[in-house]
Amino acid sequence: IGDRWEFRGGTESISVEITAGTKLVDGVRCIVARDTVTDSGVVVEDTDDWFGQATNGDVYYCGEQTREFETSDGDVPTTPELVSIEGSFKAGRAGARAGVLFRGSPATGDVYRQEFSLGDAEDVAEVLSTAYAFGTEPDLDQLVPQALAELLCAGDCVVTKEFTPLEPDAFERKYYAPGIGVFLEVTPDTGEVVQLVDCNVDVRCASLPSP
């Protein structure tokens, strides 16, 4: 409870925090993580994610309640308006099933569903490396901030490729460090980079480089 990660990419900031709440989803008692996205300081998305962990260490993604917001010019004060809950799903409801967010013991080449709600949430992950360090796998260095990777990776970081059949031409890579979890997301096609800038789960959080 209270574990927190802060990410930044362009004008957007993302805050993820483990709350004190739990939610029973399809018979599984899940923790609730709050994921809030702001753009230039204004909330554009606010999501509750529901995670459960299996005895083998796999972290299951059991659903999410997503709220997307827009603001209108001329509002005084600026007031975000709810415009969409697209992407929301709950395992056990309307045919939705839980997926694996991250393997407890990942192996290169593993492919697994991260979520499944037909036509709405169909993310898939493929493990590209379990021994990443900057400079050892040039294809995976694309868009990676060297100082960040050298701080967190000593040949022990996991890299995944994440994609969805709903957008077959798009994918992103995520980078995970032991003791911290995901610390970087890059989208090669667009050049977008979202990196960890603060956290409270590891002593290295105090030394994270700025974007």
Side-chain angles (χ1 to χ4, degrees), residues 88-168:
S88 297
F89 77 101
K90 183 179 182 182
R93 183 173 63 196
R97 297 195 295 272
V100 175
L101 183 70
F102 190 79
R103 293 283 195 199
S105 300
T108 301
D110 283 351
V111 178
Y112 48 91
R113 285 192 181 275
Q114 294 185 299
E115 57 184 6
F116 185 73
S117 178
L118 187 62
D120 196 35
E122 300 185 30
D123 287 3
V124 178
E126 176 185 359
V127 179
L128 302 179
S129 176
T130 61
Y132 175 74
F134 191 88
T136 61
E137 299 180 68
D139 288 347
L140 302 184
D141 288 341
Q142 184 183 4
L143 300 175
V144 175
Q146 183 173 349
L148 180 64
E150 289 180 343
L151 173 67
L152 301 181
C153 299
D156 54 358
C157 284
V158 174
V159 184
T160 62
K161 174 184 177 181
E162 300 191 3
F163 56 96
T164 173
L166 302 177
E167 299 179 44

